[in-house]
Amino acid sequence: MSKLKESLYILCAEYIKSHEAEIRKTIAEAQEAANDDTKSSAGDKFETGREIMQQEIDLNLARLNELNKLKQALERIIPGQKSKTVQPGSVVRTNNGNYYISISAGALKVDNVVYYAISAASPIGTKLAGLSAGNEFSFNGKKFVVESVA
């Protein structure tokens, strides 16, 4: 199970890294477009184009800030930590899917099995918090049974 947790942790870290690279590229392109606009435009048209590029940069800086929060949340997880109850870093198997309590990174596949990387603060993450194998809960009208927690 420790190898599984490590694999899921690495996939979450790669999710953050790839999104960070994408955002930084978008910021650089917007900055370059704003600089090019400075060279070729005059008057109100210049100001409008520059403002649009600045809004794009600001939006992506906000996205980068949110991504840094995800990174910090992931860094608080100890991949090899064991627990009988659901907490950040747990791998939870239920009758309605498998979950990795970490960051909201969507579906991750390890050894052809899908695990949903979810935040502990997500709606289903809060339902799972503190549960152990054999516990049940309802979510979106479905009954969930926790089969195992690692």
Side-chain angles (χ1 to χ4, degrees):
M1 187 58 75
S2 160
K3 185 175 176 353
L4 172 61
K5 281 185 171 187
E6 195 174 308
S7 296
L8 290 167
Y9 185 91
I10 289 167
L11 288 171
C12 286
E14 288 172 356
Y15 170 89
I16 291 170
K17 191 175 181 180
S18 70
H19 279 76
E20 182 178 15
E22 181 183 308
I23 292 168
R24 289 191 185 283
K25 180 181 176 202
T26 303
I27 291 170
E29 288 170 353
Q31 187 63 54
E32 188 177 319
N35 292 342
D36 287 349
D37 203 29
T38 303
K39 296 174 190 167
S40 63
S41 298
D44 290 343
K45 182 180 166 193
F46 159 72
E47 291 301 323
T48 302
R50 188 144 177 88
E51 180 60 29
I52 290 169
M53 289 304 116
Q54 188 57 51
Q55 288 175 2
E56 179 78 14
I57 291 168
D58 292 346
L59 174 72
N60 281 289
L61 286 173
R63 287 178 60 209
L64 198 55
N65 188 38
E66 288 303 310
L67 201 59
N68 281 329
K69 289 178 187 175
L70 288 182
K71 191 176 192 177
Q72 290 171 355
L74 187 64
E75 288 171 350
R76 286 192 290 273
I77 293 172
I78 301 165
Q81 185 175 345
K82 294 179 182 177
S83 174
K84 299 261 184 228
T85 61
V86 178
Q87 63 184 327
S90 294
V91 174
V92 184
R93 294 179 194 267
T94 74
N95 61 318
N96 284 314
N98 305 311
Y99 300 91
Y100 178 52
I101 313 302
S102 56
I103 62 168
S104 297
L108 305 174
K109 204 176 218 182
V110 176
D111 296 329
N112 289 321
V113 178
V114 174
Y115 297 86
Y116 296 96
I118 60 169
S119 163
S122 69
I124 196 162
T126 57
K127 289 274 194 181
L128 284 165
L131 298 181
S132 56
N135 291 146
E136 298 177 2
F137 67 97
S138 291
F139 182 73
N140 285 345
K142 282 186 177 177
K143 181 182 171 185
F144 284 72
V145 178
V146 177
E147 295 170 351
S148 68
V149 177

